[in-house]
Amino acid sequence: DMNKRLWGKFMLNVGVNQTVAVYKSNYGEIQRDGEARATMIAAMREVITLSEYEGINLTEADLNYWLSVLATLSPEGKPSMAQDLEARRYSEVALFAGAVLEMGEKYRVPTPVNKKLYDTIKAIESTY
């Protein structure tokens, strides 16, 4: 199911890209228990909820699949959004949290974690 796979990848990017960028960290930070990992998972769960409204129906099993993929990455590595912010380049936050916020508004679904990530990334970018 291509749509479900695309949504899964979207969920992954929403969680990992934004969280690692905001926490100014790396994959290692989200591979171990702690605030960053909890934030990432919460952002991903907001996508799961929205997927139900879109008829995609991501589940905890999909979340766990992507967490297992993340566990295989080099702990020192970083996603593109973290690299962009470090280099003072504008990120694709509108494609990730921005899209989540729009869907949340459309379906009247609260998306507070993505709102916080969006606001934090936009604040960082406003200093360029």
Side-chain angles (χ1 to χ4, degrees):
D1 182 347
M2 186 57 131
N3 284 329
K4 189 165 186 175
R5 191 73 164 167
L6 287 170
W7 267 81
K9 187 69 189 282
F10 174 62
M11 175 180 63
L12 171 72
N13 282 311
V14 163
V16 72
N17 272 280
Q18 299 180 134
T19 301
V20 173
V22 164
Y23 283 83
K24 299 178 177 151
S25 59
N26 54 31
Y27 293 130
E29 185 76 20
I30 52 91
Q31 289 169 332
R32 63 181 173 270
D33 287 336
E35 184 181 338
R37 183 176 176 88
T39 297
M40 175 189 72
I41 291 171
M44 293 169 81
R45 284 192 173 126
E46 290 179 354
V47 174
I48 290 173
T49 300
L50 292 169
S51 78
E52 295 167 6
Y53 288 88
E54 290 283 317
I56 303 300
N57 300 311
L58 292 175
T59 66
E60 285 292 309
D62 297 302
L63 173 70
N64 289 328
Y65 166 78
W66 288 108
L67 293 177
S68 71
V69 170
L70 288 173
T72 69
L73 300 177
S74 168
E76 294 80 32
K78 295 180 182 186
S80 60
M81 187 178 285
Q83 294 173 36
D84 287 342
L85 295 185
E86 285 178 359
R88 301 178 62 82
R89 292 187 299 258
Y90 293 99
S91 71
E92 63 267 272
V93 69
L95 298 174
F96 298 147
V100 169
L101 296 176
E102 285 178 22
M103 282 185 275
E105 194 171 303
K106 175 181 176 182
Y107 296 117
R108 299 175 194 250
V109 172
T111 55
V113 177
N114 276 280
K115 174 74 169 131
K116 183 177 180 183
L117 292 169
Y118 181 87
D119 290 345
T120 303
I121 292 167
K122 291 304 259 182
I124 292 167
E125 291 177 348
S126 75
T127 67
Y128 302 168

